[in-house]
């Protein structure tokens, strides 16, 4: 093995990470195993890169399942390849990257209870399909690292108490006081299982099918590091660390965001920076904003965090016709470390998380938002609190139907929805757009009745023929929204002011108007975003505010070409969003 297998300072960084996680006594063993990993994947030290070039304003990520597009019955093509066909036909000029939600064999939770991490679910396709996709799009995949399926070989071997696997999972005496543990679900924390040594209780944060792995066991850490580099070797250059906040457990603590958890993310970042510097780590931590951004560290942890406060805040602003709290939140966002930015989304395969809304809007308005979802055919998932009570965790509804106008017009619903989508891609960060956001999909209530799971409401699978038929009919909501979304993204890609590492500043000009200034890292372009979040025409005198507008000048909207700003005044129709170059 070559003498200098690490980048400069990498060895020192690794020694520090392993000391924090496992103590000084195990550092040499950890370094030895890391070197074996480097040798196995033929990893070479690489030069540092600027993420300003890795991600730009031209990048947009599609979030989708591997079977989102279903082939016709009997058609001799895999589901992954059929979706690839649709993406090349309909979105190749729109999106640059594709997040394929877990495409591995799984026993529940639509992929997030992984049975085998290194194999593609044969019902979707194979690694050759992933390879073909990676030729046309940058690919993002999930590393589900908090838990594995109870049907995995790991867990079966644990039950048999095979030597390597007997400590792969976390056994706990049910008499232990676990009242401080943060619970994202209302299900029991411990699951009884029958092992070779009798009944044991294992830690299961999310469900009795998703058994938490034991990162105190060095074998577990290096198993996941191996999987991590295996994914990178398969052309998956963006890795989402699923539920990473919960991976380290310590009795007597809340078992979330512990220092060892952060250090494991830092370890992964150190390895990526050295051996795969164009790869991207994204942490998925559905928690209040301050906790969420803690995973940036000092610029030495994740590259991006999911902007979890954005979906409920946008929904709140438009439904209450009040941008005050959205503006206040954007103004409060701290400057980010170098090479770090947000992953902005409004919808995902899960529901709309409301924990990240805590403390950002008045409690009565929070409650009204939750109750409103139920009136629109949605559901509310709850979590268990330390005192045994339940509180809302996420809203289960498609983002399009969240803007339903009860006894109102479809046109108004579409305008409210598009207002939310344009604002989401206006903010600093890389946009992540769920497949159903492109298609304005309605609540999949039939799916919920079949699976019994609330999250199925937002996980409809399209047949290729059904979707292409809807898109070819201009009278369908699907066609209108799909076309509008593509047009907005096409225009956004032409303006470097929307660079994910550029700047932004929000202005308080009127509670009915959301106002944001964006500029690129080199300050070559500035774009002013103005959005009327109400159902009425709004006229505001902008001269009273410190906006970069020239006296007496008129400005045309980038999105429509129309003039809405003249002589220092703006007049916007209901739910209208404009971009003006200033």
């Amino acid at each position: 093995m070559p003498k200098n297998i690490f980048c400069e300072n990498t060895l020192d960084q690794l020694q520090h990470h392993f000391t924090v996680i496992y103590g000084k006594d195990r550092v040499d063993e950890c370094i030895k195993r890391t070197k074996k990993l480097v040798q196995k994947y033929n990893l070479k030290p690489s030069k540092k890169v600027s993420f300003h070039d890795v991600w730009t304003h031209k990048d947009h990520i599609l979030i989708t399942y591997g079977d989102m597009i279903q082939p016709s019955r009997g058609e001799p093509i895999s589901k992954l390849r059929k979706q690839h066909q649709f993406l090349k036909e309909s979105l190749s000029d729109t999106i640059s990257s594709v997040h394929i939600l877990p495409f591995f064999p799984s026993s529940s939770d639509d992929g997030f209870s992984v049975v085998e991490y290194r194999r593609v679910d044969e019902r979707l396709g194979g690694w050759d399909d992933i390879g073909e996709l990676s030729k046309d799009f940058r690919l993002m995949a999930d590393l589900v690292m908090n838990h594995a399926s109870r049907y995995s070989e790991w867990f079966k071997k644990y039950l048999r108490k095979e030597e390597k696997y007997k400590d792969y999972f976390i056994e706990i005496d049910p008499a232990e006081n676990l009242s401080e543990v943060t619970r994202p679900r209302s299900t029991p924390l411990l699951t009884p299982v029958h092992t070779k040594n009798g009944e044991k209780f294992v830690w299961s944060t999310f469900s009795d099918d998703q058994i938490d792995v034991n990162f105190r066991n060095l074998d577990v850490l290096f198993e996941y590091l191996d999987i991590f580099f295996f994914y990178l070797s398969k052309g998956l250059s963006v890795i989402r660390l699923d539920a990473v906040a919960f991976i380290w457990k310590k009795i007597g603590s809340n078992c979330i965001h512990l220092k060892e958890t952060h250090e494991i993310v830092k370890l992964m970042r150190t390895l990526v920076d050295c051996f795969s510097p164009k790869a991207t780590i994204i942490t998925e931590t559905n928690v209040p904003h301050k906790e969420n951004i803690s995973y940036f560290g000092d610029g030495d942890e994740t590259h991006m965090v999911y902007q979890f406060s954005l979906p409920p805040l946008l929904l709140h602003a438009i439904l209450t016709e009040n941008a005050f709290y959205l503006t206040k939140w954007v103004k409060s966002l701290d400057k980010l470390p170098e090479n770090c930015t947000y992953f902005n989304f409004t919808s995902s395969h899960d529901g709309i998380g409301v924990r990240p809304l805590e403390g950002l809007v008045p409690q009565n308005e929070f409650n009204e938002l939750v109750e409103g979802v139920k009136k629109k055919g949605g559901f509310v998932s709850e979590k268990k609190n330390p005192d045994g009570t339940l509180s809302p965790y996420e809203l289960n509804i498609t983002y399009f139907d969240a803007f339903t106008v009860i006894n109102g017009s479809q046109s108004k619903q579409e305008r409210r929805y598009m207002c939310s989508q344009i604002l989401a891609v206006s903010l600093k960060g890389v946009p992540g757009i769920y497949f159903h956001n492109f298609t304005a999909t309605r609540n999949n209530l039939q799916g919920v009745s079949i699976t019994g799971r609330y999250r199925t409401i937002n996980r409809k699978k399209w047949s290729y023929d059904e979707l292409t038929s809807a898109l070819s009919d201009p009278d369908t909501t699907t066609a209108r929204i799909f076309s509008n979304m593509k047009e907005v993204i096409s225009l956004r890609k032409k303006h470097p002011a929307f660079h994910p590492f550029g700047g932004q500043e929000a202005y308080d000009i009127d509670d009915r108007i959301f106002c944001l200034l964006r500029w690129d890292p080199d300050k070559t372009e500035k774009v002013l975003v103005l959005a009327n979040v109400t159902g009425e025409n709004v006229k505001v005198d902008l001269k009273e505010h410190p906006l970069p507008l020239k006296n007496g000048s008129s400005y045309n909207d980038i999105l429509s070409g129309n003039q809405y700003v003249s002589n220092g005044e703006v007049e916007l129709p209901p739910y209208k969003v404009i971009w003006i170059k200033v």
Side-chain angles (χ1 to χ4, degrees):
M1 185 179 292
K3 184 176 181 180
N4 297 320
I5 66 167
F6 296 121
C7 303
E8 185 179 359
N9 299 324
T10 296
L11 181 58
D12 290 341
Q13 291 171 321
L14 292 175
Q15 290 172 334
H16 173 76
H17 298 321
F18 289 128
T19 299
V20 172
I21 302 168
Y22 295 112
K24 291 182 179 179
D25 292 345
R26 306 201 70 180
V27 169
D28 288 346
E29 179 186 359
C30 290
I31 296 298
K32 183 178 179 180
R33 295 183 69 163
T34 303
K35 289 179 178 179
K36 286 184 178 180
L37 193 65
V38 170
Q39 188 175 30
K40 177 179 179 179
Y41 288 100
N42 194 29
L43 303 175
K44 305 294 183 185
S46 301
K47 292 182 180 180
K48 188 175 181 180
V49 302
S50 169
F51 256 56
H52 291 204
D53 300 321
V54 175
W55 295 96
T56 75
H57 56 289
K58 297 181 180 180
D59 289 302
H60 302 78
I61 302 175
L62 175 73
I63 306 168
T64 185
Y65 279 101
D67 59 350
M68 188 68 81
I69 303 291
Q70 303 280 323
S72 301
R73 182 171 296 180
E75 187 178 2
I77 187 173
S78 72
K79 293 172 182 175
L80 280 167
R81 196 151 301 222
K82 192 65 179 180
Q83 182 159 199
H84 189 185
Q85 175 189 331
F86 175 82
L87 296 183
K88 287 200 294 185
E89 291 170 351
S90 304
L91 287 171
S92 61
D93 58 346
T94 304
I95 59 169
S96 61
S97 311
V98 180
H99 174 197
I100 312 171
L101 290 156
F103 50 86
F104 319 104
S106 170
S107 54
S108 67
D109 199 16
D110 286 337
F112 285 92
S113 185
V114 181
V115 172
E116 170 54 62
Y117 284 87
R118 296 176 179 87
R119 188 160 58 88
V120 177
D121 188 334
E122 61 187 17
R123 294 171 298 179
L124 303 178
W127 281 115
D128 56 332
D129 296 315
I130 297 296
E132 288 301 309
L133 258 171
S134 71
K135 294 176 182 178
D136 293 320
F137 303 97
R138 172 167 27 196
L139 294 187
M140 174 173 166
D142 294 270
L143 182 59
V144 183
M145 59 190 297
N146 177 70
H147 48 262
S149 169
R150 71 184 302 156
Y151 297 98
S152 65
E153 285 301 311
W154 299 353
F155 195 66
K156 290 176 183 177
K157 291 175 180 178
Y158 154 77
L159 293 176
R160 295 194 295 265
K161 291 300 177 180
E162 294 186 18
E163 185 61 28
K164 179 181 176 180
Y165 296 93
K166 63 185 178 67
D167 294 320
Y168 249 54
F169 300 89
I170 305 168
E171 292 181 1
I172 294 290
D173 184 341
E176 283 277 6
N177 180 4
L178 302 175
S179 61
E180 295 300 313
V181 176
T182 297
R183 300 292 293 115
R185 298 289 184 273
S186 57
T187 52
L189 177 61
L190 302 182
T191 296
V193 295
H194 295 284
T195 76
K196 180 182 177 182
N197 297 339
E199 184 179 60
K200 301 294 180 182
F201 288 81
V202 291
W203 201 295
S204 48
T205 297
F206 292 95
S207 79
D208 61 5
D209 185 56
Q210 296 164 297
I211 313 301
D212 290 34
V213 294
N214 180 19
F215 272 92
R216 290 179 180 272
N217 180 350
L218 205 58
D219 287 343
V220 169
L221 174 71
F222 277 91
E223 183 85 71
Y224 278 97
L225 290 179
D226 186 287
I227 295 167
F228 181 68
F229 280 104
F230 174 77
Y231 289 171
L232 292 176
S233 74
K234 290 294 186 179
L236 304 167
S237 61
V238 185
I239 306 298
R240 173 185 184 268
L241 305 184
D242 177 69
V244 67
F246 298 94
I247 63 174
W248 195 272
K249 280 76 174 177
K250 181 179 180 182
I251 303 299
S253 77
N254 61 4
C255 297
I256 188 171
H257 314 313
L258 298 186
K259 68 176 182 179
E260 292 86 353
T261 295
H262 282 284
E263 206 65 36
I264 289 171
V265 179
K266 290 180 180 182
L267 165 66
M268 298 174 81
R269 174 66 179 270
T270 293
L271 291 170
V272 160
D273 283 351
C274 179
F275 298 112
S276 189
K278 291 185 179 180
T280 302
I281 296 173
I282 302 182
T283 49
E284 185 266 337
T285 51
N286 192 352
V287 293
H289 181 74
K290 187 174 181 180
E291 298 172 38
N292 188 29
I293 63 172
S294 69
Y295 286 85
F296 283 131
D298 293 321
D300 56 352
E301 286 190 58
T302 189
H303 296 98
M304 298 187 209
V305 300
Y306 274 71
Q307 189 70 289
F308 276 108
S309 295
L310 181 59
L313 265 176
L314 270 177
L315 185 62
H316 172 271
I318 295 169
L319 294 183
T320 62
E321 302 191 353
N322 182 2
F324 173 80
Y325 300 103
L326 176 63
T327 300
K328 180 181 178 182
W329 172 72
V330 174
K331 287 170 71 71
S332 74
L333 298 179
D334 295 330
K335 183 179 179 181
L336 299 181
E338 182 71 13
N339 288 338
C340 293
T341 194
Y342 296 111
F343 182 72
N344 289 329
F345 72 111
T346 58
S347 182
S348 72
H349 61 290
D350 292 338
I352 304 167
V354 290
R355 276 208 71 208
L357 194 59
E358 292 175 6
L360 298 180
V361 300
Q363 187 62 43
N364 66 311
E365 295 185 16
F366 178 97
N367 296 340
E368 289 171 5
L369 185 67
V370 171
E371 290 304 312
V373 162
K374 298 176 183 177
K375 295 175 183 177
K376 297 168 184 175
F379 305 96
V380 178
S381 295
E382 296 178 313
K383 70 180 184 72
K384 193 172 185 178
N385 301 314
D387 63 1
T389 61
L390 299 176
S391 59
Y393 174 75
E394 69 178 19
L395 310 179
N396 300 110
I397 191 168
T398 69
Y399 210 69
F400 181 71
D401 270 352
F403 289 100
T404 296
V405 183
I406 298 175
N407 299 321
S409 71
Q410 176 83 5
S411 173
K412 183 176 180 180
Q413 180 178 356
E414 291 182 17
R415 283 183 283 127
R416 296 206 294 187
Y417 176 74
M418 282 308 303
C419 178
S420 74
Q421 299 307 289
I422 297 171
L423 284 179
V425 302
S426 300
L427 291 163
K428 174 174 178 165
V430 176
I433 305 166
Y434 189 38
F435 196 98
H436 291 304
N437 282 37
F438 271 107
T439 56
T441 308
R442 311 305 299 260
N443 290 333
N444 182 21
L445 296 175
Q446 181 180 8
V448 174
S449 68
I450 293 171
T451 66
R453 298 192 301 271
Y454 289 165
R455 284 180 168 179
T456 307
I457 201 169
N458 197 29
R459 297 179 179 179
K460 170 186 166 70
K461 304 297 188 273
W462 285 97
S463 77
Y464 176 85
D465 293 339
E466 176 192 13
L467 181 53
T468 53
S469 176
L471 292 176
S472 66
D473 182 355
D475 291 331
T476 64
T477 296
T478 297
R480 286 192 295 270
I481 296 299
F482 196 85
S483 176
N484 288 343
M485 292 286 289
K486 289 187 64 175
E487 179 64 19
V488 169
I489 292 171
S490 174
L491 291 167
R492 184 184 186 273
K493 290 166 70 172
K494 297 176 181 179
H495 291 277
F498 293 112
H499 195 289
F501 295 100
Q504 69 179 13
E505 182 176 1
Y507 294 88
D508 288 304
I509 64 171
D510 188 294
D511 289 349
R512 299 167 297 173
I513 298 283
F514 178 73
C515 178
L516 180 77
L517 183 67
R518 290 297 317 276
W519 61 90
D520 63 290
D522 297 325
K523 297 183 179 180
T524 62
E525 181 186 59
K526 291 184 178 181
V527 169
L528 187 66
V529 180
L530 293 162
N532 177 3
V533 299
T534 79
E536 306 291 335
N537 285 333
V538 173
K539 188 174 184 178
V540 174
D541 187 347
L542 301 177
K543 295 190 294 295
E544 300 175 1
H545 307 280
L547 300 174
L549 299 174
K550 297 177 182 178
N551 290 333
S553 296
S554 298
Y555 297 87
N556 289 336
D557 173 27
I558 292 169
L559 293 168
S560 67
N562 297 329
Q563 187 179 107
Y564 293 99
V565 178
S566 181
N567 296 320
E569 290 186 335
V570 60
E571 184 169 4
L572 294 176
Y575 309 113
K576 185 68 178 179
V577 184
I578 65 171
W579 293 342
I580 57 174
K581 191 172 178 178
V582 295

